[in-house]
Amino acid sequence: MIPPVALVLGLALKSLFVLDYVHVITGASWTGFDLYTGIVLSRILRSLEVPARVEVAKRLTPTTFFIIPSLAAVAITSGIYLAQAMGKFDLGDPWILAAGAIVVVLTVQGFGVFLPNGVRIFLELAKAKPDPALISRLTMRNVRLAASQAVFQVLIILVMAHLAVY
Amino acid sequence: MNTSALAAIAVFAAALLSVFGVLYRMASRSHARGELSYDGIRILRWALLGQLAIFAILALTAFLT
């Protein structure tokens, strides 16, 4: 709940500084989570047996229910408000269009695949007789998706760096 | 008021609700078959409420710009 409340605070104060801070911290945390999951955690999970993967999923999945959608939604929303406030929200600008295209891909992946998969993992874990193979498969799908998201986020940071300087 | 921001947030919330709706139906069927305990349904409802709270706060931002 902290990221959306911080965004409301930044907008209520009409502070470009707070808005910029909220955008950078949420975007960086989202990217950091995906880079860590996609590069570090995926290697660890691949080396584990299925029951051990399930134990990791039990602890990891409920955390990602709220943190990632909250960070993603606030990073995107604050980014649009920031671009508007700085007079850079020009849909004829190829860099803004590139940022928009990457955001669409990240949003569809995150809210259309990552989140539902997380819920399915949780529901399977909540069953009296969970299917370890299904949990492991869904967890590994999310880990691979995080790696793909990390690539798009590295690209969007390149676009952001260009927009911030030029 | 930022109408386009409000519309975008409404579209996202509707998409999320439809995804959760499908999952909730799956969970209800599992519960009816006796595979899933009521705790699973209860936590799913809390998760949905949490997501809706995030979108409600984001919708508020459309009135601040």
Side-chain angles (χ1 to χ4, degrees):
Chain A
M1 282 301 152
I2 295 171
V5 171
L7 175 61
V8 169
L9 189 73
L11 290 170
L13 294 172
K14 300 202 183 303
S15 166
L16 200 61
F17 168 65
V18 176
L19 190 59
D20 193 21
Y21 177 73
V22 168
H23 177 61
V24 172
I25 195 80
T26 52
S29 304
W30 183 21
T31 305
F33 180 89
D34 279 343
L35 282 173
Y36 176 78
T37 308
I39 296 171
V40 181
L41 198 62
S42 64
R43 286 166 193 248
I44 295 168
L45 283 175
R46 273 191 210 110
S47 68
L48 296 176
E49 296 298 322
V50 170
R53 287 182 191 178
V54 171
E55 288 305 312
V56 174
K58 267 185 194 172
R59 290 154 183 84
L60 184 70
T61 308
T63 319
T64 57
F65 261 5
F66 295 109
I67 296 174
I68 302 305
S70 174
L71 288 174
V74 172
I76 295 167
T77 313
S78 58
I80 294 169
Y81 288 145
L82 191 63
Q84 285 176 338
M86 294 172 79
K88 291 191 173 186
F89 198 73
D90 172 14
L91 293 175
D93 182 344
W95 289 92
I96 288 285
L97 287 177
I102 296 170
V103 159
V104 168
V105 173
L106 288 172
T107 307
V108 169
Q109 280 186 334
F111 289 88
V113 186
F114 205 94
L115 185 66
N117 261 357
V119 175
R120 285 182 67 197
I121 292 166
F122 168 75
L123 290 174
E124 196 57 37
L125 287 168
K127 286 181 179 174
K129 286 181 186 170
D131 177 357
L134 177 67
I135 295 166
S136 172
R137 201 166 58 243
L138 290 171
T139 303
M140 291 314 288
R141 189 184 294 169
N142 267 5
V143 165
R144 277 193 295 272
L145 186 70
S148 144
Q149 287 226 311
V151 171
F152 282 106
Q153 279 164 343
V154 168
L155 281 175
I156 206 168
I157 287 172
L158 183 78
V159 175
M160 292 297 121
H162 182 276
L163 285 170
V165 173
Y166 301 104
Chain B
M1 188 184 76
N2 192 330
T3 316
S4 52
L6 195 59
I9 291 163
V11 169
F12 274 126
L16 189 87
L17 272 177
S18 59
V19 168
F20 259 90
V22 172
L23 293 166
Y24 189 81
R25 219 168 41 234
M26 277 170 50
S28 298
R29 282 182 193 153
S30 290
H31 178 59
R33 285 196 298 267
E35 294 170 355
L36 183 70
S37 68
Y38 181 72
D39 266 0
I41 302 280
R42 190 176 54 83
I43 294 170
L44 189 59
R45 283 180 188 163
W46 276 109
L48 178 61
L49 200 67
Q51 302 293 333
L52 285 176
I54 292 170
F55 280 102
I57 297 171
L58 289 180
L60 181 68
T61 65
F63 296 93
L64 297 171
T65 51

